Amino acid sequence: MSDFELVLTPVTHDLGQFEVRRVLPAKARTMVGPFIFVDQFGPAQLDIGSGMDVRPHPHINLATVTWLFEGAIEHRDSLGSFSTIRPGQVNLMTAGRGIVHSERSPASERKTGPKLYGMQTWLALPDGREEIDPAFEAVTDLPIVEDGRAKAIVIMGELWGERAQTTTYADTIYAEIVLGAGGAIPLEEDADERAVMLVGGDASVDGHALKPYELAVLQPGRDMTLESATGARVMLLGGETITSRRHVWWNFVSSSRERINQAKEDWREGRFPKVPGDETEFIPLPEVPNTKTEN
């Protein structure tokens, strides 16, 4: 019997100088724990003088989590937050009742040709907390678990006896695992739902090979072992089951269709707050969103 409950193949978006692979939400599965959106991008080396420019755009009723393996991204939001995220730092932006942010390559990176390689994920906020106040935090003091040829950074939640100080709103696990040749690490039965994504190298779970960028949802209630013969980088994510349905339309996530419709109207009419230092541009409300679950 396979250790995988389900394997999801990402939809790849070619953005010219780099690719973005979106594996959640999918028709076969919309969430793993509180994770409702999973993008993997790169590795890529952009042209000198160019860069990533994601203009200001809104979110509601979710938290975004940005994690980089290579490169740097400047984050600005409507709270006045500014942060340059680099490898080893997690950026957690809580949208709650509404926030606007932009993501751009720093000027210093553009001079040499920016590198882009990392993860962008969204967490659905649990019932009763969807409309909390927006917030932002950048955390660098993250637990590192090392054992010979295996190293794991605990980005969110508690894993291998170590807990990250990153805020969680529901029980959440999130970690980057780097295995050397012959390295292995246990995947303990410590969450309602778990999944792994191979983002570099070769790895397997109890002898079942992982394919690059696919999301392998693990069977619940079973201890397993992640291992690599030649070396690998793997993301582990999951947490508690969110039992009530979440709707997704563009950058909006909510348990209420009406709330999403209100957010659409608020963005169209310019009622969201501006991003200090990035007020002149914005992404218009799309006619057809690139992220949507059936509403």
Side-chain angles (χ1 to χ4, degrees):
M1 181 176 67
S2 173
D3 291 314
F4 305 151
E5 179 180 295
L6 182 69
V7 177
L8 300 173
T9 301
V11 175
T12 300
H13 301 275
D14 188 341
L15 301 185
Q17 295 191 58
F18 66 100
E19 292 183 336
V20 176
R21 304 168 186 90
R22 182 160 302 162
V23 72
L24 281 181
K27 288 184 178 179
R29 180 124 183 187
T30 56
M31 300 179 70
V32 177
F35 288 84
I36 196 166
F37 175 99
V38 175
D39 266 8
Q40 188 281 329
F41 51 89
Q45 174 81 53
L46 278 59
D47 293 339
I48 293 175
S50 66
M52 184 187 78
D53 285 292
V54 181
R55 294 167 290 161
H57 58 281
H59 291 286
I60 63 163
N61 293 188
L62 58 82
T64 70
V65 185
T66 307
W67 181 256
L68 294 180
F69 310 127
E70 288 184 316
I73 297 174
E74 288 184 346
H75 163 96
R76 287 181 169 85
D77 64 43
S78 51
L79 298 175
S81 311
F82 173 77
S83 174
T84 302
I85 180 173
R86 299 183 187 277
Q89 172 180 311
V90 57
N91 273 20
L92 174 70
M93 185 186 74
T94 303
R97 56 184 164 78
I99 200 168
V100 181
H101 76 134
S102 64
E103 298 161 293
R104 301 181 185 271
S105 297
S108 58
E109 298 280 317
R110 295 172 192 261
K111 293 178 181 178
T112 56
K115 292 181 179 180
L116 282 177
Y117 186 22
M119 305 289 299
Q120 176 78 51
T121 57
W122 299 352
L123 305 171
L125 295 178
D127 292 344
R129 306 199 72 183
E130 291 181 286
E131 294 289 330
I132 60 177
D133 291 341
F136 175 80
E137 63 187 65
V139 182
T140 55
D141 186 15
L142 297 169
I144 297 176
V145 178
E146 292 187 88
D147 183 13
R149 289 165 287 187
K151 173 183 175 181
I153 304 174
V154 182
I155 303 167
M156 299 183 77
E158 184 174 355
L159 287 157
W160 306 288
E162 298 286 345
R163 173 171 287 279
Q165 61 178 321
T166 315
T167 299
T168 56
Y169 300 101
D171 287 342
T172 306
I173 57 169
Y174 195 30
E176 177 190 343
I177 302 167
V178 177
L179 300 176
I185 196 167
L187 302 178
E188 298 162 348
E189 188 276 306
D190 47 14
D192 293 345
E193 300 176 352
R194 301 166 296 164
V196 290
M197 177 188 284
L198 176 68
V199 295
D202 297 284
S204 62
V205 175
D206 284 0
H208 300 283
L210 300 174
K211 294 183 179 180
Y213 310 119
E214 291 186 343
L215 191 69
V217 182
L218 304 181
Q219 291 278 358
R222 297 176 59 188
D223 290 341
M224 306 172 193
T225 300
L226 174 70
E227 57 190 344
S228 176
T230 58
R233 173 179 275 118
V234 177
M235 298 303 293
L236 169 65
L237 60 89
E240 70 174 278
T241 303
I242 302 294
T243 55
S244 56
R245 184 179 179 186
R246 290 296 181 274
H247 307 282
V248 181
W249 195 95
W250 191 40
N251 299 315
F252 305 134
V253 169
S254 182
S255 60
S256 166
R257 294 187 185 94
E258 291 74 20
R259 180 67 182 92
I260 288 179
N261 289 333
Q262 180 63 59
K264 291 181 192 178
E265 184 66 17
D266 288 344
W267 185 245
R268 187 183 292 115
E269 298 300 321
R271 290 193 286 261
F272 274 86
K274 302 291 185 182
V275 176
D278 204 346
E279 301 97 337
T280 59
E281 295 185 302
F282 67 93
I283 300 177
L285 191 77
E287 293 294 326
V288 178
N290 60 7
T291 304
K292 181 181 179 182
T293 56
E294 294 301 320
N295 287 334

